[in-house]
Amino acid sequence: MTSETGFKQPLIVNRRLPFDLSKPRPLPGIAPLEMAEWLHVDETYEQQMALRRRLITERPQDVLAQSQSAGEAAEELLETVLQNLPPLSGKNPDHAAGAALRFTSESQGSDLEKIGKIVQEDFCILQKTDSEHVMTAAVLCFPASWMLMEKINRPLTHIHGAVDEYDPNIAKRVQRLFDGVRPEKPLWRWNALWNDDPDLFQPRAVSDPRPPADPDTAPYLRCERQCILRLPETKAVVFSIHSFVLNRDDAMRAYCKT
């Protein structure tokens, strides 16, 4: 499948989610999370990782960005990821922490490149400047209709400027969350949006918004498991995104779960 980006992508769909769509929470929908549950492996691991590695190799300018001020935070993030890799998962050796460590030690590239090639999550590093957190680095292989180059080195209010629900009240609450999150005490939320396009890599400029899909007929549901974590040494905040795409039948079963 070749998307609007001109980048051929395989169809990668999930059958299930690690959270309950039938129990939505009001914005910003944040809940505490155990550190051991920060990173997640799902049944599309091999497919997603193959796509992530292709993107990092073939489209680095679209999926990687780092300012000079973020070097130490990126290094600490890599160390934190390696210390918290998900354990062995069933019969697939690629899910093993050992396999990921081996891949990282043998691979070349920046800390963010290595991170992007061993776990399914995307990561944005945000550092406090004056009164607001600014995105200073990211590995973003699976953007959902936004572009990394438009958001890098921008504050939270600019990053969320195109989100209708992100009003001044929500902005203040989100900034308080970023200010208050503690090391080893991550927070998390989920979102879900009906979509006509199942591609995971969907960069799109603010000036060219995607027409909204019809919730009554859209064939796919795209969900994100989003976590907020503070790095203990650099004090940078990490926003991680694990992306899922479900076909309509599986999505409807998730919404009707009791």
Side-chain angles (χ1 to χ4, degrees):
M1 180 184 299
T2 301
S3 68
E4 295 178 12
T5 66
F7 184 84
K8 188 175 182 180
Q9 302 178 51
L11 176 63
I12 302 175
V13 293
N14 297 82
R15 296 298 306 276
R16 62 190 68 85
L17 294 169
F19 45 84
D20 190 351
L21 290 181
S22 68
K23 297 179 180 178
R25 296 189 295 262
L27 287 174
I30 293 291
L33 180 72
E34 294 295 328
M35 193 67 194
E37 299 175 348
W38 172 45
L39 302 176
H40 180 74
V41 170
D42 67 44
E43 75 272 25
T44 69
Y45 178 88
E46 292 181 42
Q47 295 168 290
Q48 283 201 9
M49 295 313 304
L51 178 56
R52 293 178 67 83
R53 291 167 185 169
R54 274 187 58 213
L55 284 162
I56 290 170
T57 299
E58 299 176 20
R59 303 284 290 265
Q61 72 281 2
D62 295 322
V63 302
L64 293 164
Q66 181 176 320
S67 65
Q68 289 185 341
S69 64
E72 291 184 2
E75 181 179 0
E76 186 180 8
L77 176 57
L78 175 59
E79 294 173 356
T80 304
V81 167
L82 294 178
Q83 291 167 1
N84 292 276
L85 287 169
L88 283 167
S89 178
K91 300 178 181 179
N92 191 334
D94 283 339
H95 291 182
L101 282 166
R102 187 165 55 252
F103 180 88
T104 305
S105 64
E106 294 172 355
S107 66
Q108 302 295 316
S110 68
D111 293 328
L112 290 178
E113 288 179 76
K114 293 178 180 180
I115 293 167
K117 291 178 179 179
I118 59 174
V119 290
Q120 288 174 266
E121 281 82 4
D122 285 319
F123 296 92
C124 301
I125 294 174
L126 297 104
Q127 295 173 288
K128 189 73 173 287
T129 301
D130 296 326
S131 62
E132 198 167 5
H133 280 79
V134 173
M135 186 196 297
T136 55
V139 50
L140 182 75
C141 294
F142 300 153
S145 296
W146 60 286
M147 297 180 70
L148 178 55
M149 291 304 106
E150 290 188 342
K151 308 297 184 179
I152 194 67
N153 293 320
R154 300 300 179 93
L156 280 171
T157 49
H158 177 93
I159 292 169
H160 293 99
V163 180
D164 292 337
E165 295 87 350
Y166 201 81
D167 59 24
N169 180 52
I170 293 295
K172 290 179 182 178
R173 292 170 65 187
V174 171
Q175 183 57 55
R176 285 199 297 267
L177 286 170
F178 275 67
D179 286 338
V181 64
R182 295 175 292 163
E184 303 295 325
K185 300 290 183 181
L187 304 170
W188 83 285
R189 67 180 297 274
W190 60 263
N191 68 12
L193 187 67
W194 289 104
N195 212 313
D196 294 318
D197 185 348
D199 282 350
L200 285 162
F201 176 61
Q202 289 197 41
R204 201 170 187 99
V206 172
S207 61
D208 183 28
R210 181 183 299 281
D214 185 346
D216 294 326
T217 59
Y220 300 101
L221 185 74
R222 179 163 179 152
C223 303
E224 293 181 345
R225 180 181 184 266
Q226 303 171 346
C227 301
I228 303 172
L229 172 74
R230 185 178 300 281
L231 299 174
E233 297 299 326
T234 60
K235 308 302 181 185
V237 174
V238 175
F239 182 74
S240 65
I241 309 163
H242 189 122
S243 298
F244 306 82
V245 175
L246 283 75
N247 63 39
R248 187 172 188 87
D249 289 344
D250 288 326
M252 294 307 297
R253 279 191 286 271
Y255 269 120
C256 296
K257 181 179 178 181
T258 57

